[in-house]
Amino acid sequence: MSKNQISFNISERKILLRLVDICIVLAVLFGLSSYFHFDYFTLSNENWSWTIVLVLYLTIFGTVFEIYDLQKSSTFQSTLPNVFMTTMLVVGFYLLTPYFTPFLPEKRIQIFFFFLGILGALLFWRAIYITLITTPRFYKHVLLVGEPKHIDEIVSSFKAVDPNYNIVGFINCEPNTTDLPKLIPAYKPAELNSLIAKEDVSEIIVATYDSELITADLYQELMNLLHRGFPIKEYTQAFEDMTYRIPVHYLGKDFYKYFPFNSNNHNKLYLLQRWLFDMVFAIFCSLLGVLVIPFVLIGNLFGNRGPLFYSQKRVGEHGKLFSIIKFRTMVVDAEKNGAVWASKNDARITAFGRFLRQSRIDEIPQCINVLKGEMSLIGPRPERPEFVKELAEVIPFYEARHMVKPGITGWAQVKARYGASVSDSLIKLQYDLFYIKRRSFFLDLNVVVKTISTVIFFRGQ
């Protein structure tokens, strides 16, 4: 590995984006107050709380508007509108909370300078990040070790999560096979050390179903690298850490090694906190439902004629069936010929129904399911028994998602696209099992924030 090579992990780049955002915004505002007699925001021992509130707003709204999403942050076109919206909300909330922040200045032009200072600082740092950090100079060069069968799938999964994660090739543990991957070149085990030096490899991922395929010589070379401090990771752990999914399609009879499910699944304090949160949410959601029902009723009358509510059998915790309640979004008798997968641009969804889905308003009646204890705010999305039976036959560990209560929103809903096929359901299952394995207060909070982003950007399904 090259001594001069610098690369960043996913978590390191996200931390870098956040820290520099905070530092550069505070530096610009300090410069404005020092050199242009800008007295709306000043840094001193007396008003240190102003800084904390500003940093808090920047962190919250930056997360909601996804300015720390690495895919979106890698291009100026995708990050510009999100940075602008973040700045608008940060400044707006900062002005509207004068008890914690400065009172409105006499010279209102300072508000405009305050907005430009934050916006200019964020855009300046994004320009540096895009032109420098996302260039090949800072790519992490990775080498895979394994058999060819799933190499292309592995490469695609990693590339979709981290555009700076450059897999340079793989060491072929099945030299006699002719079915080689198309996305990266194959190398012989004897070329391991020369390839590391040539490609400036900084990490090795061992991705093999059968450990017997790793020869004694290759094993010894890997051990020598490990003893010298070279990073070597097992594929399933690397996949989980990078994608926030569990690769169920890669697990075998030793699955129990990969499912050391979070103790919070049995932690009474955590479960009590979840129950209280569910009840507060359900009561608030019920009140909100009473307010929106007249508007939904009018919209339903003109653009979605038929019953207002829709009830359907779903599979809940431990496989128990229950009836989920939603505002109807499809035409009447949408499934007169039997259960059918819903697709992204499903013709059965009415124009008004599409609005209800994208805004997530159609989910509001499910607060009744939460009050009845059949659902939670956060958890795997409950599926229909017909689809559960079909998917459990082709996807390993599919029914493991029923070990917790289903949710109105969840990790899979905010991270994955619309589930309209078996392959989409596999990806959503990977997210669901990751959530079940690692669920905690902070992961729940992350889901809530991402759900707000989903509603704001009308990405509801």
Side-chain angles (χ1 to χ4, degrees):
M1 179 174 62
S2 172
K3 299 294 183 183
N4 298 320
Q5 183 190 356
I6 300 175
S7 60
F8 298 98
N9 294 322
I10 292 177
S11 59
E12 291 172 339
R13 285 204 301 282
K14 288 184 177 180
I15 291 173
L16 181 67
L17 281 169
R18 290 181 184 272
L19 287 181
V20 178
D21 273 354
I22 293 169
C23 292
I24 198 167
V25 165
L26 294 179
V28 168
L29 294 179
F30 177 75
L32 286 173
S33 64
S34 299
Y35 297 103
F36 298 99
H37 305 291
F38 178 80
D39 56 7
Y40 177 60
F41 184 92
T42 56
L43 301 176
S44 66
N45 292 331
E46 290 77 22
N47 54 30
W48 55 269
S49 61
W50 297 355
T51 304
I52 293 177
V53 174
L54 181 63
V55 170
L56 183 64
Y57 286 159
L58 183 59
T59 301
I60 292 173
F61 292 114
T63 302
V64 168
F65 288 101
E66 301 177 335
I67 67 173
Y68 304 115
D69 181 288
L70 295 183
Q71 290 282 4
K72 292 181 173 62
S73 296
S74 61
T75 62
F76 209 72
Q77 182 180 4
S78 59
T79 199
L80 178 60
N82 294 353
V83 168
F84 185 81
M85 289 301 299
T86 298
T87 307
M88 288 279 290
L89 268 294
V90 167
V91 173
F93 270 75
Y94 198 79
L95 293 173
L96 294 174
T97 51
Y99 182 80
F100 303 102
T101 59
F103 287 98
L104 293 177
E106 294 182 4
K107 299 178 180 179
R108 299 304 165 91
I109 190 67
Q110 291 197 11
I111 298 175
F112 181 64
F113 289 142
F114 183 61
F115 173 82
L116 285 184
I118 296 176
L119 180 64
L122 293 177
L123 291 180
F124 177 70
W125 163 227
R126 285 307 182 281
I128 294 176
Y129 178 83
I130 292 170
T131 56
L132 184 63
I133 306 298
T134 61
T135 58
R137 180 195 302 254
F138 291 98
Y139 280 5
K140 171 172 276 191
H141 302 298
V142 182
L143 181 64
L144 295 178
V145 174
E147 56 264 38
K149 185 177 180 181
H150 295 283
I151 294 296
D152 279 343
E153 181 183 349
I154 292 171
V155 173
S156 298
S157 297
F158 284 152
K159 200 66 178 177
V161 175
D162 185 1
N164 289 20
Y165 200 77
N166 180 37
I167 300 179
V168 300
F170 86 105
I171 299 297
N172 188 4
C173 293
E174 288 185 322
N176 296 326
T177 185
T178 57
D179 186 17
L180 297 177
K182 300 178 177 61
L183 297 181
I184 55 174
Y187 298 93
K188 298 177 181 178
E191 298 177 272
L192 176 64
N193 287 304
S194 61
L195 190 61
I196 290 174
K198 177 184 176 183
E199 299 289 348
D200 282 337
V201 173
S202 56
E203 186 175 279
I204 291 177
I205 303 293
V206 179
T208 175
Y209 277 105
D210 186 2
S211 58
E212 297 297 324
L213 293 174
I214 298 180
T215 63
D217 290 340
L218 178 57
Y219 175 81
Q220 189 58 52
E221 289 295 340
L222 292 172
M223 288 301 297
N224 291 339
L225 290 168
L226 190 64
H227 293 157
R228 296 203 302 266
F230 196 93
I232 299 178
K233 295 181 179 179
E234 195 271 332
Y235 163 66
T236 56
Q237 189 58 52
F239 182 93
E240 184 176 333
D241 292 340
M242 285 186 61
T243 65
Y244 306 112
R245 293 150 50 190
I246 290 180
V248 292
H249 59 295
Y250 204 84
L251 308 183
K253 293 181 179 179
D254 56 349
F255 68 92
Y256 50 84
K257 294 194 299 185
Y258 307 100
F259 288 154
F261 285 118
N262 198 317
S263 60
N264 279 335
N265 289 309
H266 303 287
N267 185 306
K268 291 184 178 180
L269 184 61
Y270 170 74
L271 295 177
L272 175 62
Q273 167 254 307
R274 279 183 62 91
W275 181 82
L276 289 173
F277 190 74
D278 283 345
M279 290 302 104
V280 171
F281 165 79
I283 293 170
F284 171 79
C285 192
S286 299
L287 296 175
L288 180 63
V290 172
L291 295 176
V292 302
I293 276 182
F295 300 100
V296 177
L297 193 59
I298 294 171
N300 196 66
L301 183 64
F302 291 100
N304 195 21
R305 295 203 169 192
L308 181 63
F309 295 100
Y310 180 69
S311 179
Q312 193 177 68
K313 288 292 182 183
R314 297 291 176 97
V315 179
E317 187 177 19
H318 306 314
K320 184 179 179 181
L321 295 181
F322 71 99
S323 295
I324 196 172
I325 306 169
K326 301 177 68 175
F327 286 128
R328 187 177 55 83
T329 59
M330 289 188 176
V331 297
V332 179
D333 295 329
E335 293 186 333
K336 58 184 178 181
N337 297 321
V340 180
W341 285 92
S343 57
K344 187 173 183 179
N345 296 309
D346 201 315
R348 297 172 299 165
I349 301 174
T350 65
F352 184 66
R354 182 165 288 106
F355 164 75
L356 293 178
R357 286 189 172 217
Q358 290 177 339
S359 61
R360 291 288 185 99
I361 293 175
D362 68 315
E363 312 278 8
I364 290 178
Q366 290 170 50
C367 61
I368 298 173
N369 295 113
V370 176
L371 287 171
K372 292 169 67 176
E374 297 167 334
M375 292 181 66
S376 179
L377 170 61
I378 301 170
R381 191 74 185 136
E383 279 292 354
R384 302 176 63 178
E386 300 93 334
F387 295 151
V388 168
K389 181 180 179 181
E390 176 186 341
L391 293 170
E393 292 176 352
V394 294
I395 300 178
F397 311 109
Y398 186 79
E399 292 181 316
R401 66 199 298 274
H402 299 140
M403 67 175 64
V404 298
K405 284 183 182 179
I408 294 177
T409 186
W411 191 237
Q413 288 94 292
V414 299
K415 297 289 287 184
R417 65 181 183 178
Y418 200 95
S421 65
V422 172
S423 59
D424 290 343
S425 297
L426 171 61
I427 292 175
K428 298 193 83 168
L429 173 66
Q430 293 173 345
Y431 281 118
D432 284 334
L433 293 183
F434 177 90
Y435 172 77
I436 295 171
K437 179 179 179 179
R438 299 201 184 189
R439 69 178 185 158
S440 64
F441 172 78
F442 291 104
L443 185 54
D444 289 342
L445 185 62
N446 196 351
V447 172
V448 170
V449 171
K450 289 183 181 297
T451 301
I452 295 172
S453 298
T454 299
V455 173
I456 289 174
F457 290 109
F458 271 66
R459 291 197 297 254
Q461 302 171 0

